[in-house]
Amino acid sequence: MRSVKSLVAAGAATLLSSAAFAADMAIAPPPQMYAPPPVVEDFGGWYLRGDIGFSNQRVERLTNALDINNTSSVQNLGFNTAGIFGLGVGYKVNNWFRADVTGEYRGNSQFFGTDRITFPGGVGTDTYHATKSEWVVLANAYVDLGTWWCVTPFIGAGIGGARVGIANFTDVGIANLGGGALPSLAFGDNVSKWNMAWALHAGLAYKVTPNFTVELGYRYLDMGDGLTGDLRTFDGTNNLVNPTTFKNITSHDLKLGVRWNLESPQVYAPPLIRKG
């Protein structure tokens, strides 16, 4: 009986000692957790851009005051491909709309053309040569159509001005009058003129980093008319005002561009919250 009392007393002492030790221990802090990060949308801000590319140009028709004597005319006209070099600055308003202003130089393109004509008393052929270049300034707006795997398709439009320069224009002609062929040669002075220009854009943009984007774009560009000086013969004779007009110059452009965002995206620092 005494042994049972001793065992009960020893157990009670052990429990009291354990309770006292637990009371002396520091309470462990609750575990810390991070708040879930908010959904971060694509950031806006200012950007710089640069573009290079090449052109595929067209001209609707060549006209001259001397054409009034023709009863028919069949023209075949074309330009060589030329390089495009552009710079610009823009602002991204949000993750779907942005706008920029661009300036570009379009390099020299060689022009070749023929014109088979008939006129009272004969037929003839004119062969044309010239060089053309432009400066183009556009204000553009774009709509980004969503992003998949860092690729964003976009469309856009632009309006501005084009300074079209026509240089080194020559017109070599052969007229057949009653069986006799008469050669001719005429020159036009170099002329540059400003026109209203407008453009349509489409392409794909690939975001390499949050601040750097690469674009592959197509553009349709209408630059208005080009103009030469008055045509004069090889000896300088010029009897009337007769510049040659390049009617409705357009271009299908393919461009590779880059964009640098000047503002860094916001860095999110999650706050600590305590559980319990």
Side-chain angles (χ1 to χ4, degrees):
M1 187 68 177
R2 180 177 297 177
S3 61
V4 173
K5 292 181 179 180
S6 299
L7 182 60
V8 171
T14 302
L15 289 175
L16 291 174
S17 176
S18 299
F21 179 76
D24 292 338
M25 290 181 62
I27 299 175
Q32 294 178 341
M33 296 182 63
Y34 288 100
V39 177
V40 179
E41 294 187 352
D42 199 3
F43 68 99
W46 293 98
Y47 63 84
L48 299 177
R49 69 173 304 134
D51 298 274
I52 59 173
F54 60 89
S55 63
N56 183 12
Q57 303 178 81
R58 299 285 187 273
V59 60
E60 183 178 308
R61 186 167 182 81
L62 266 58
T63 62
N64 188 281
L66 298 176
D67 296 341
I68 195 172
N69 299 318
N70 299 336
T71 56
S72 70
S73 172
V74 179
Q75 295 185 349
N76 183 13
L77 313 171
F79 294 96
N80 283 348
T81 294
I84 300 170
F85 311 93
L87 295 173
V89 60
Y91 188 80
K92 186 168 185 176
V93 179
N94 50 42
N95 64 341
W96 63 269
F97 181 76
R98 56 190 168 89
D100 56 39
V101 176
T102 57
E104 69 180 45
Y105 172 71
R106 300 168 63 88
N108 286 336
S109 177
Q110 299 299 316
F111 169 75
F112 303 93
T114 60
D115 190 3
R116 297 187 300 275
I117 62 174
T118 61
F119 52 89
V123 297
T125 300
D126 290 279
T127 302
Y128 308 116
H129 293 86
T131 302
K132 181 181 69 66
S133 61
E134 297 90 17
W135 289 93
V136 178
V137 178
L138 292 173
N140 307 285
Y142 311 89
V143 176
D144 292 327
L145 303 176
T147 301
W148 297 268
W149 301 284
C150 298
V151 177
T152 303
F154 64 87
I155 57 174
I159 190 167
R163 185 177 184 269
V164 180
I166 305 294
N168 308 314
F169 181 82
T170 61
D171 178 355
V172 179
I174 297 178
N176 193 329
L177 298 172
L182 298 177
S184 64
L185 177 60
F187 300 91
D189 289 333
N190 301 349
V191 172
S192 296
K193 66 185 294 283
W194 280 98
N195 305 316
M196 188 187 79
W198 59 273
L200 298 175
H201 308 273
L204 298 172
Y206 179 76
K207 179 165 285 190
V208 181
T209 71
N211 289 81
F212 182 71
T213 302
V214 177
E215 287 185 4
L216 179 63
Y218 162 80
R219 179 180 65 186
Y220 175 81
L221 178 64
D222 188 311
M223 296 175 285
D225 299 341
L227 194 68
T228 73
D230 287 348
L231 295 194
R232 63 186 188 279
T233 61
F234 67 94
D235 61 359
T237 301
N238 178 29
N239 297 321
L240 73 162
V241 177
N242 65 338
T244 294
T245 301
F246 288 63
K247 296 291 293 182
N248 193 25
I249 299 171
T250 60
S251 184
H252 298 273
D253 300 331
L254 186 63
K255 301 193 303 174
L256 181 65
V258 293
R259 284 189 271 131
W260 295 272
N261 288 315
L262 300 180
E263 301 178 27
S264 299
Q266 182 179 359
V267 178
Y268 174 72
L272 289 173
I273 62 174
R274 295 185 180 276
K275 183 178 180 181

